Amino acid sequence: MHWFQAQLTELSRLADEYAISQQQSTSNIINASEKIRLKRAEFIDAVQALVDKVGKIKGISACAAYHDGLILAQSAQLAAIDAFGATVQDSARAAQQGAALLGLGELEQIVVVGAQNKVAMLSIGPLMLCIASPKEINLASVLNRQA
């Protein structure tokens, strides 16, 4: 398994654990709340670590993670963060509607390609991981060569 795919698998596992922790009912609300908080922190820390690593890869312009259009993590050099978030939210909403109409199943990724740059949006649990790069960069290639 390539580096990036392994990272996505780990994030999906952490997202699932966080979701499960939210669904478990218990009579001890303090312990339940602490477990949820710890699972959330573990997930968010892993997201930020991945965003930092991806943002430093040669050929990647920026990386960020969003949930419902709100930023959870961003690489250091992300200009126009609000525009990036709005684009993510609008693109995801339109793609989800289209996927439902076409019977595609759960949305996994969206790629918006412009004349100069592109943004890839990958669905991971409750968030969208967004990677911006120049149009000519092969994201699969640069992401899978990292270790």
Side-chain angles (χ1 to χ4, degrees):
M1 182 181 299
H2 294 291
W3 173 81
F4 188 67
Q5 186 59 45
Q7 298 298 306
L8 294 181
T9 300
E10 177 63 9
L11 277 184
S12 291
R13 183 187 67 76
L14 292 171
D16 290 344
E17 287 181 4
Y18 174 48
I20 290 168
S21 73
Q22 291 177 306
Q23 296 168 0
Q24 294 176 345
S25 63
T26 181
S27 59
N28 189 336
I29 192 72
I30 294 172
N31 287 342
S33 294
E34 180 64 9
K35 183 176 181 180
I36 292 169
R37 188 189 65 74
L38 291 173
K39 289 296 180 185
R40 181 182 186 280
E42 185 179 15
F43 176 63
I44 297 299
D45 289 347
V47 169
Q48 184 64 60
L50 179 60
V51 165
D52 289 341
K53 288 176 187 174
V54 170
K56 292 177 184 174
I57 296 172
K58 184 179 179 183
I60 303 293
S61 305
C63 184
Y66 291 87
H67 181 263
D68 289 336
L70 301 174
I71 190 160
L72 293 177
Q74 75 181 65
S75 60
Q77 301 299 332
L78 188 54
I81 191 72
D82 292 333
F84 205 63
T87 299
V88 168
Q89 187 171 6
D90 288 347
S91 298
R93 186 179 304 119
Q96 287 168 342
Q97 290 172 348
L101 289 171
L102 296 172
L104 299 179
E106 190 174 327
L107 187 65
E108 291 183 1
Q109 63 179 296
I110 306 164
V111 180
V112 178
V113 181
Q116 298 162 344
N117 297 300
K118 65 183 167 190
V119 176
M121 296 170 256
L122 309 165
S123 179
I124 305 168
L127 61 85
M128 273 291 193
L129 181 68
C130 305
I131 303 169
S133 69
K135 178 183 176 180
E136 65 276 358
I137 295 294
N138 181 323
L139 287 176
S141 178
V142 297
L143 290 170
N144 286 329
R145 279 188 271 152
Q146 295 302 304

